[in-house]
Amino acid sequence: MKISPSKLISPRDINFLLYDWLDVEWLTDSPRYSHLTRNDFDSLLDLCLDLAQREFATHNRKSDENEPVFDGAGVTLIPEIKDSLLKFYESGIFASGMPLAVEGGQLPHTVYRACFAFFQAANISTAAYPMLSAANANLLLAHGSPEQISKYVLPIVSGAFFGTMCLSEPEAGSSLADVKTKAQLQSDDSYLITGNKMWISGGDHELSENIVHLVLARTPDAIAGVRGLSLFIVPKHLVNADGSLGERNGVSLTGINHKMGYRGTVNTVLNFSQATGFLVGKENHGLEYMFHMMNEARIGVGTGAAAVGYSSYLQAADYASTRLQGRSPDQKDPESPLLAINEHSDVRRMLLASKSYVEGGLALSLYAAKCLDEKLISTDAQKSDRLGLLLDILTPILKGWTSKWSLVANDFAIQVHGGYGYTRDYQVEQLWRDNRLNPIHEGTDGIQAIDLLGRKVRMQDGAAFNELTDQISKTISRAVNRSVGARHLADDLAKVLEQLIDVSVLIDSQELLSKRIADAWLYADAIGHVVIAWIWLEQFLASEDMVDVFGESKRATAQYFYTYELPNATTWLNVLNARHDLLLKLDSKIFLP
Amino acid sequence: MKISPSKLISPRDINFLLYDWLDVEWLTDSPRYSHLTRNDFDSLLDLCLDLAQREFATHNRKSDENEPVFDGAGVTLIPEIKDSLLKFYESGIFASGMPLAVEGGQLPHTVYRACFAFFQAANISTAAYPMLSAANANLLLAHGSPEQISKYVLPIVSGAFFGTMCLSEPEAGSSLADVKTKAQLQSDDSYLITGNKMWISGGDHELSENIVHLVLARTPDAIAGVRGLSLFIVPKHLVNADGSLGERNGVSLTGINHKMGYRGTVNTVLNFSQATGFLVGKENHGLEYMFHMMNEARIGVGTGAAAVGYSSYLQAADYASTRLQGRSPDQKDPESPLLAINEHSDVRRMLLASKSYVEGGLALSLYAAKCLDEKLISTDAQKSDRLGLLLDILTPILKGWTSKWSLVANDFAIQVHGGYGYTRDYQVEQLWRDNRLNPIHEGTDGIQAIDLLGRKVRMQDGAAFNELTDQISKTISRAVNRSVGARHLADDLAKVLEQLIDVSVLIDSQELLSKRIADAWLYADAIGHVVIAWIWLEQFLASEDMVDVFGESKRATAQYFYTYELPNATTWLNVLNARHDLLLKLDSKIFLP
């Protein structure tokens, strides 16, 4: 793609990640992507950056200053959200990411994710509508009937319908086992859905003709817990056989949440009162299907977090190159010229740390997308399984680690701006508030950590974990045959990797789940740092022959991460290794004042 | 004081810190505080908590929702700010903290700081006015003439005047060497002050009859740099010899800053146009005098950060005790009762971490205040010097460490609340935004780190650093003769302390200041963690005989800090020990996209 200046995501970096590192052009050799060329990728990437800058970034502040208004009946959003989404769909970008079978462009996921990241960087809250709609459509493509696909997915691809995911309830946020919404089978094979759903992003609006809610509910004879949940399509307007809109369904908006940021994404409380729903797949398999959407949303959230942090970093880097303040500590002449603040080591550290988090997070996201593409084109069943396992274990890391550390980049961007960063004259304060949602929604970072350590590390006798460590080991093996610099990094990574494996085995030997996951949050930090260190070694190797400033910047950032960040992972693994039971044996009364 | 429930700061903790740990009652044996009894302390503490809850906390949200308005001439604030400050001054609280010589109550600093922390926890932005006014008055008490004290300090004590500090300018924030405001001596010994000042908190308002600006400016023949700065009193209204207000001075408000939080404190841009100023002390000693106010303000900021984090923690702890969600990981029956979320280890960890940061920060603040009190009553000149040195080195740690880590407690408070924490239905999101200012103003955390490593650690051949490590060693020696639990903590601390000393010596051996302070930010994190670990060992020892839940909570929090936090200091010291030059040798071009 064209290397134009941007405060969203560096196009030079996207070029590097897609072509120099991940070699996505190679995907076009496969039947699945043979209808495409690199030129197609580049044109679309250029279009996306342009549209993101012109249409999405331009109303980001306005969305923040004018949150959605609920008048008791409907929601009013600023018109720019609808206008920009209309252009987004009309330009064919949304459809480009969907399969050929539903009139999409079947772009590789890796390329689409990079394309979409520009929109997330420009305006995370407007981008949330197509992000959720795509995940909704992909769930139905995987688990819906042909009729459901034709009735609901095709209009989602065209932008006529948007989609939501309706899991949480006022008393069941992280705890889906306690979902209470009821589904009663009717004589026509539809179900009557009754209950309340909370925290539903895009739950009501006039941005699209219709909204396809995917709702977790419980049939009367279902068993308790998550194994008694079924999944239903509950459209805002019923859809006639010919695709035209029928009557209004029994879904009503009862309130909206007033958020600290991310304000353009209306977040709603919905009441389902005798609403008509249509079962997806089989009864009692709802959560399993929903995970298809949830995993995609988690990846979307992790990528979005990196994108928002990335934009914040670029703004800080720009400010630091133009703001003159102070002199070298060794310069004692107070009349000597001022330095740009990016010459001060404290500012450099904040910029390097931020760069390592956001570029690392984005790179991990594109790597995971490449795994998906490779899985889709693979003709080797075993390889396909391994790629699936790798994706499984990387998902909670991408969601949890990236949303946590990208927020640190947002924080540093404020600090680099000094007092100005705390004012609304600059965008970095909004981006910090926006990005604060990402460690919460689609499963908090605590939930991701439990998913990772309680499930993913252990699944299939550790197969996913082993696949991950095999991949990391392969990179290490490649690196030791390269430069001295690469070898140093590889040696450091090898040590921490060995320690990670040992600690993982030790934790896995615990009998009780409560003991295994008591320090899951710390394990998640540690494995996240190891994975990002691996991704930085990959980037170091891919940039090693580049003699320009860009190559230098990649290598310096890798070195920053290994010098200042990776040692923390060793400490955290040591703490884990000691198997403290402090958190388990506490009396909760100590938290009462 | 009375042990009543509070969401600001735990009164039980204040009792513990003041009486069980710091034994402030002992201060009343000294002539300076012999006019007071513990009953006086308790009455004032009770009054402060009550007033903070009834008058300050009640308009905190309103201040956030209605930021100051500048109509081109003056500033409008919500009336509750003035009303509550009136009650604050009328109740005698402000005066209680000032010396007897200016009609104050001469309360020990330790007690006043605890009293004032309730107001900071309740409403940091309303509390900023008296915080700055007190620091302003104390500077004048130390360096002003008797006439200046009578003219400006007495009305500050009564609340008729408020005070500001005017250091920064639009192009000189952290870099005071570049202050450009001019001061021209007049025939009547006053000066004409001309220039622009930026980021002036409380720079204009109608909360008081007058505002005493303390302004750094440069006389025509002054040398460049900070050694050419002089300090001037520039009142908003000139004051006649009889104390009545004279004409309006040439200070005008040219704009206000629109902040992300802390909104009740109006932050201004001031223009000084031929304003009349009065020299404080001697010419060219301005920065030295200003440090008197700056240090007090830094301590105020650090304490305020702990207070805001503390309130946020108490709200999270309360929420976590009532919010039911999920079950024990070992409980497989989905129909078993739900647990309060403070039973989940991830939530416990966030609560314990928060508790360790905010209670640790507040304890450090009170410890530092006790040093000041001991210094004031000491009749031993050497001891007095040592206490002064200890205060010198603790100030940047209290400001820097506490404002950084208390903000993490604010972040965790949001996370504990889940989605609700991201909405404006709960206060934790505002407290997070409010507290984000504290690592920026009165010297960013980067500036604190440079002050610490570049100046304080090295001053007087390391005398301040040695005094600090001596105090820590004394605590360790006491602890090793106590319980097994205490000995374990003491052993851990002793190891890290030794490492801190070695690394400090190594860094000090560097010839160039640029090399010494290149990783000052990391050194500040490390020494901060060591100091807070010491403060937790102190609290562990002071609570060791307490058999109630409170004592247990102190000991568990100390154990949390030693188990999960202190090991990070070892890692950071190891990184420092390697003396990397990565940050110094970078080409700043790598930050351009």
Side-chain angles (χ1 to χ4, degrees):
Chain A
M1 68 177 302
K2 287 183 209 136
I3 310 301
S4 50
S6 164
K7 297 260 181 76
L8 303 181
I9 290 175
S10 156
R12 178 75 184 82
D13 192 23
I14 292 289
N15 260 309
F16 167 77
L17 296 172
L18 292 180
Y19 300 119
D20 299 318
W21 178 41
L22 296 172
D23 188 19
V24 292
E25 207 177 345
W26 165 81
L27 293 169
T28 60
D29 293 347
S30 74
R32 184 179 172 92
Y33 299 125
S34 62
H35 60 296
L36 296 164
T37 64
R38 173 166 171 169
N39 274 347
D40 295 325
F41 300 167
D42 282 340
S43 307
L44 195 69
L45 287 162
D46 289 336
L47 172 68
C48 288
L49 175 55
D50 182 54
L51 207 61
Q53 288 182 151
R54 274 192 301 111
E55 300 293 335
F56 277 54
T58 42
H59 70 278
N60 201 19
R61 166 67 70 95
K62 190 173 174 185
S63 274
D64 185 59
E65 290 175 345
N66 300 275
E67 67 179 345
V69 176
F70 174 48
D71 61 7
V75 170
T76 307
L77 304 171
I78 61 165
E80 288 83 353
I81 297 176
K82 186 166 188 165
D83 295 347
S84 61
L85 287 172
L86 196 64
K87 284 175 184 139
F88 176 80
Y89 280 94
E90 279 176 353
S91 69
I93 295 168
F94 186 86
S96 75
M98 302 301 292
L100 290 172
V102 286
E103 300 167 17
Q106 199 157 296
L107 199 67
H109 290 276
T110 320
V111 179
Y112 184 75
R113 196 168 296 165
C115 285
F116 197 69
F118 288 123
F119 296 99
Q120 294 180 302
N123 192 324
I124 190 76
S125 63
T126 294
Y129 297 98
M131 191 271 271
L132 286 166
S133 299
N136 179 301
N138 283 324
L139 180 154
L140 290 175
L141 283 171
H143 302 292
S145 67
E147 188 217 337
Q148 288 172 339
I149 290 172
S150 137
K151 217 166 184 176
Y152 303 107
V153 176
L154 286 176
I156 289 179
V157 174
S158 75
F161 294 6
F162 281 10
T164 74
M165 55 196 300
C166 298
L167 291 78
S168 297
E169 299 178 359
E171 300 307 319
S174 294
S175 178
L176 291 175
D178 298 299
V179 158
K180 290 193 170 42
T181 298
K182 293 281 171 218
Q184 176 81 52
L185 182 61
Q186 303 299 295
S187 55
D188 64 353
D189 286 348
S190 73
Y191 290 74
L192 274 191
I193 311 290
T194 312
N196 291 296
K197 291 289 178 179
M198 179 83 174
W199 308 117
I200 310 308
S201 287
D204 200 22
H205 52 69
E206 302 297 326
L207 300 173
S208 56
E209 294 166 22
N210 202 359
I211 302 175
V212 181
H213 301 292
L214 288 174
V215 181
L216 282 184
R218 206 176 281 285
T219 51
D221 53 349
I223 59 167
V226 293
R227 289 166 201 277
L229 293 173
S230 302
L231 183 65
F232 302 90
I233 297 169
V234 185
K236 175 178 175 181
H237 298 279
L238 294 170
V239 181
N240 298 319
D242 65 356
S244 64
L245 293 191
E247 62 187 67
R248 185 75 156 76
N249 203 353
V251 192
S252 59
L253 180 65
T254 56
I256 63 176
N257 293 306
H258 299 282
K259 293 177 291 179
M260 169 167 56
Y262 232 109
R263 288 192 178 139
T265 307
V266 61
N267 190 274
T268 62
V269 188
L270 295 180
N271 174 258
F272 295 81
S273 176
Q274 306 277 308
T276 303
F278 307 97
L279 183 69
V280 177
K282 291 183 291 188
E283 282 189 6
N284 301 322
H285 288 258
L287 191 64
E288 171 196 330
Y289 306 148
M290 195 48 121
F291 258 107
H292 196 283
M293 178 165 187
M294 226 182 329
N295 280 331
E296 184 170 334
R298 286 174 176 183
I299 288 169
V301 166
T303 313
V308 174
Y310 205 128
S311 177
S312 196
Y313 159 69
L314 289 179
Q315 293 181 43
D318 181 65
Y319 181 82
S321 72
T322 56
R323 170 76 173 168
L324 303 177
Q325 195 81 177
R327 294 165 186 82
S328 160
D330 306 323
Q331 172 57 268
K332 296 302 173 205
D333 176 4
E335 292 182 285
S336 60
L338 296 168
L339 294 179
I341 61 172
N342 67 13
E343 296 291 328
H344 297 306
S345 59
D346 177 51
V347 172
R348 289 176 163 202
R349 181 265 162 154
M350 291 192 277
L351 294 176
L352 268 180
S354 303
K355 194 167 155 67
S356 76
Y357 304 147
V358 302
E359 292 184 8
L362 180 65
L364 175 63
S365 169
L366 298 185
Y367 179 90
K370 176 87 182 304
C371 290
L372 180 55
D373 282 324
E374 281 196 63
K375 181 176 158 63
L376 289 170
I377 65 175
S378 173
T379 51
D380 172 344
Q382 283 195 322
K383 184 176 177 191
S384 176
D385 284 350
R386 287 203 309 273
L387 287 161
L389 288 166
L390 195 52
L391 259 177
D392 279 341
I393 198 166
L394 286 179
T395 299
I397 299 172
L398 175 55
K399 162 64 170 81
W401 188 94
T402 303
S403 62
K404 173 172 178 172
W405 294 91
S406 297
L407 187 60
V408 178
N410 289 99
D411 178 85
F412 282 152
I414 292 174
Q415 199 69 14
V416 167
H417 282 77
Y420 292 101
Y422 194 68
T423 70
R424 301 199 298 281
D425 295 347
Y426 288 82
Q427 202 194 4
V428 289
E429 66 87 20
Q430 181 192 338
L431 296 181
W432 188 61
R433 288 184 288 108
D434 285 349
N435 223 2
R436 184 63 189 82
L437 181 57
N438 286 322
I440 298 173
H441 65 169
E442 311 304 349
T444 64
D445 52 6
I447 294 290
Q448 302 305 317
I450 290 170
D451 175 49
L452 182 63
L453 186 57
R455 226 167 63 85
K456 300 294 174 62
V457 168
R458 183 172 255 228
M459 67 193 284
Q460 296 181 30
D461 291 325
F465 181 76
N466 294 340
E467 180 58 25
L468 174 63
T469 55
D470 282 355
Q471 291 303 324
I472 298 176
S473 299
K474 275 185 198 157
T475 305
I476 292 171
S477 303
R478 272 200 295 133
V480 293
N481 296 315
R482 300 280 283 270
S483 68
V484 178
R487 195 154 59 235
H488 279 155
L489 303 185
D491 288 348
D492 286 352
L493 184 56
K495 275 181 217 135
V496 189
L497 180 64
E498 195 184 333
Q499 200 189 359
L500 173 69
I501 293 169
D502 291 347
V503 168
S504 303
V505 169
L506 177 69
I507 291 174
D508 200 45
S509 69
Q510 306 274 331
E511 275 174 36
L512 289 174
L513 182 58
S514 56
K515 289 202 174 178
R516 287 215 306 280
I517 65 172
D519 288 344
W521 49 277
L522 191 58
Y523 185 87
D525 279 342
I527 196 173
H529 260 47
V530 172
V531 165
I532 295 296
W534 163 51
I535 294 293
W536 273 111
L537 180 54
E538 282 278 334
Q539 293 187 75
F540 186 96
L541 297 175
S543 67
E544 211 173 16
D545 297 330
M546 296 181 171
V547 291
D548 58 356
V549 174
F550 179 84
E552 193 184 331
S553 88
K554 283 289 177 190
R555 296 189 298 275
T557 311
Q559 255 146 357
Y560 164 82
F561 200 83
Y562 277 74
T563 305
Y564 291 99
E565 300 282 343
L566 189 58
N568 290 312
T570 297
T571 312
W572 302 333
L573 291 167
N574 284 336
V575 174
L576 286 161
N577 195 54
R579 306 306 304 135
H580 302 284
D581 60 354
L582 183 63
L583 298 176
L584 291 176
K585 72 180 183 194
L586 283 183
D587 181 343
S588 290
K589 284 202 202 78
I590 67 162
F591 300 120
L592 299 179
Chain B
M1 68 178 302
K2 287 182 209 139
I3 310 300
S4 50
S6 164
K7 297 259 181 77
L8 303 181
I9 291 175
S10 156
R12 179 74 183 83
D13 193 23
I14 292 290
N15 261 308
F16 168 76
L17 296 173
L18 292 181
Y19 300 120
D20 299 317
W21 178 41
L22 295 173
D23 187 20
V24 291
E25 208 177 344
W26 166 82
L27 292 169
T28 61
D29 292 345
S30 74
R32 184 181 172 92
Y33 299 124
S34 62
H35 62 295
L36 296 164
T37 66
R38 173 166 171 168
N39 275 347
D40 295 325
F41 300 166
D42 282 339
S43 308
L44 195 70
L45 287 161
D46 289 337
L47 171 68
C48 288
L49 175 55
D50 182 56
L51 207 62
Q53 286 181 152
R54 275 193 300 111
E55 301 292 336
F56 277 55
T58 42
H59 71 279
N60 201 19
R61 166 69 71 94
K62 189 173 174 187
S63 274
D64 186 58
E65 290 175 347
N66 301 274
E67 67 178 346
V69 176
F70 174 48
D71 61 8
V75 171
T76 307
L77 304 172
I78 61 165
E80 288 83 354
I81 297 177
K82 186 165 188 166
D83 295 347
S84 60
L85 287 172
L86 197 63
K87 284 174 184 141
F88 176 81
Y89 280 95
E90 279 176 354
S91 69
I93 295 168
F94 186 87
S96 75
M98 301 302 291
L100 290 172
V102 286
E103 300 166 17
Q106 200 157 296
L107 198 68
H109 290 276
T110 320
V111 180
Y112 185 75
R113 196 168 296 166
C115 286
F116 197 68
F118 288 122
F119 296 99
Q120 293 180 302
N123 192 323
I124 190 76
S125 62
T126 294
Y129 297 99
M131 190 270 272
L132 287 167
S133 299
N136 180 301
N138 283 324
L139 181 154
L140 290 176
L141 282 171
H143 302 291
S145 66
E147 188 219 335
Q148 288 172 339
I149 290 173
S150 138
K151 216 167 184 175
Y152 302 107
V153 175
L154 286 176
I156 289 179
V157 173
S158 75
F161 294 5
F162 281 8
T164 73
M165 56 197 300
C166 299
L167 291 78
S168 297
E169 298 177 359
E171 300 306 320
S174 294
S175 178
L176 292 175
D178 299 299
V179 158
K180 289 192 170 44
T181 298
K182 293 284 170 213
Q184 175 83 49
L185 182 62
Q186 303 299 294
S187 54
D188 65 352
D189 285 349
S190 73
Y191 289 73
L192 275 190
I193 310 291
T194 311
N196 291 296
K197 292 290 179 180
M198 179 84 174
W199 309 117
I200 310 308
S201 287
D204 200 22
H205 52 70
E206 301 298 326
L207 300 172
S208 56
E209 296 166 21
N210 202 359
I211 302 174
V212 181
H213 301 293
L214 288 175
V215 181
L216 282 183
R218 206 177 281 285
T219 52
D221 53 350
I223 58 167
V226 294
R227 288 166 203 275
L229 293 173
S230 302
L231 183 64
F232 301 90
I233 297 169
V234 185
K236 176 178 175 181
H237 297 280
L238 294 171
V239 182
N240 298 320
D242 65 356
S244 63
L245 293 191
E247 63 187 68
R248 186 77 156 74
N249 203 353
V251 193
S252 59
L253 180 64
T254 55
I256 63 176
N257 293 306
H258 298 282
K259 293 177 291 182
M260 170 169 54
Y262 231 111
R263 287 191 179 141
T265 307
V266 60
N267 189 274
T268 62
V269 187
L270 295 180
N271 174 257
F272 294 81
S273 176
Q274 305 278 308
T276 302
F278 307 98
L279 183 68
V280 176
K282 290 182 294 186
E283 281 188 5
N284 301 321
H285 288 256
L287 192 64
E288 171 196 328
Y289 305 148
M290 195 48 121
F291 258 106
H292 196 283
M293 177 166 187
M294 225 179 333
N295 281 331
E296 185 170 332
R298 285 174 176 182
I299 287 169
V301 166
T303 312
V308 174
Y310 204 129
S311 177
S312 196
Y313 159 70
L314 288 179
Q315 294 181 43
D318 180 66
Y319 181 82
S321 72
T322 55
R323 171 75 175 169
L324 304 177
Q325 196 79 180
R327 295 165 185 83
S328 160
D330 305 324
Q331 172 58 265
K332 297 302 172 204
D333 176 2
E335 292 183 286
S336 60
L338 295 168
L339 295 179
I341 61 172
N342 66 13
E343 296 290 328
H344 297 305
S345 60
D346 177 50
V347 173
R348 290 174 162 205
R349 180 264 163 154
M350 290 192 278
L351 293 176
L352 268 181
S354 302
K355 195 167 154 66
S356 75
Y357 304 147
V358 302
E359 292 184 8
L362 181 64
L364 176 63
S365 170
L366 298 185
Y367 179 90
K370 176 87 181 305
C371 291
L372 180 55
D373 283 324
E374 280 196 64
K375 181 175 158 64
L376 290 170
I377 65 174
S378 172
T379 50
D380 174 344
Q382 282 194 324
K383 185 177 177 192
S384 174
D385 283 351
R386 286 204 309 272
L387 287 161
L389 287 166
L390 195 53
L391 259 178
D392 279 340
I393 197 166
L394 287 178
T395 300
I397 297 172
L398 174 56
K399 161 63 169 84
W401 189 94
T402 304
S403 62
K404 174 173 177 169
W405 295 91
S406 297
L407 187 61
V408 178
N410 289 99
D411 178 85
F412 281 152
I414 292 174
Q415 199 69 13
V416 167
H417 282 77
Y420 292 101
Y422 195 68
T423 69
R424 300 199 298 282
D425 296 347
Y426 288 82
Q427 201 194 7
V428 290
E429 66 86 20
Q430 182 193 338
L431 296 181
W432 188 61
R433 288 185 287 108
D434 285 349
N435 224 2
R436 183 62 187 84
L437 181 58
N438 285 322
I440 299 173
H441 64 168
E442 312 304 350
T444 64
D445 52 7
I447 294 291
Q448 303 304 319
I450 290 170
D451 175 49
L452 182 63
L453 186 56
R455 226 165 64 86
K456 300 293 172 63
V457 169
R458 184 173 252 228
M459 68 193 286
Q460 297 182 30
D461 290 325
F465 181 77
N466 294 340
E467 180 59 26
L468 174 63
T469 55
D470 282 354
Q471 291 302 324
I472 298 177
S473 298
K474 275 185 198 158
T475 306
I476 292 171
S477 302
R478 272 200 296 133
V480 293
N481 296 316
R482 300 280 283 271
S483 68
V484 178
R487 196 155 57 238
H488 279 156
L489 302 186
D491 289 348
D492 285 353
L493 184 57
K495 274 182 217 132
V496 188
L497 181 64
E498 195 185 332
Q499 201 189 359
L500 173 68
I501 293 169
D502 290 347
V503 168
S504 303
V505 169
L506 177 69
I507 291 175
D508 199 46
S509 69
Q510 305 274 329
E511 274 174 36
L512 287 175
L513 181 60
S514 56
K515 290 202 172 179
R516 287 214 306 279
I517 65 173
D519 287 345
W521 50 276
L522 190 59
Y523 184 87
D525 278 343
I527 195 172
H529 260 46
V530 172
V531 164
I532 296 296
W534 162 51
I535 293 293
W536 273 111
L537 181 54
E538 283 278 333
Q539 294 187 74
F540 185 96
L541 296 175
S543 68
E544 211 172 16
D545 298 330
M546 296 179 171
V547 292
D548 60 354
V549 174
F550 179 85
E552 193 185 332
S553 89
K554 282 290 177 189
R555 295 189 298 275
T557 311
Q559 254 143 359
Y560 165 82
F561 200 83
Y562 278 75
T563 305
Y564 292 98
E565 300 281 343
L566 190 57
N568 291 311
T570 297
T571 312
W572 302 333
L573 290 168
N574 284 337
V575 174
L576 285 161
N577 195 54
R579 308 303 306 132
H580 301 284
D581 59 354
L582 183 63
L583 298 176
L584 291 176
K585 71 180 184 196
L586 283 183
D587 181 344
S588 290
K589 282 202 203 80
I590 68 163
F591 299 120
L592 299 179

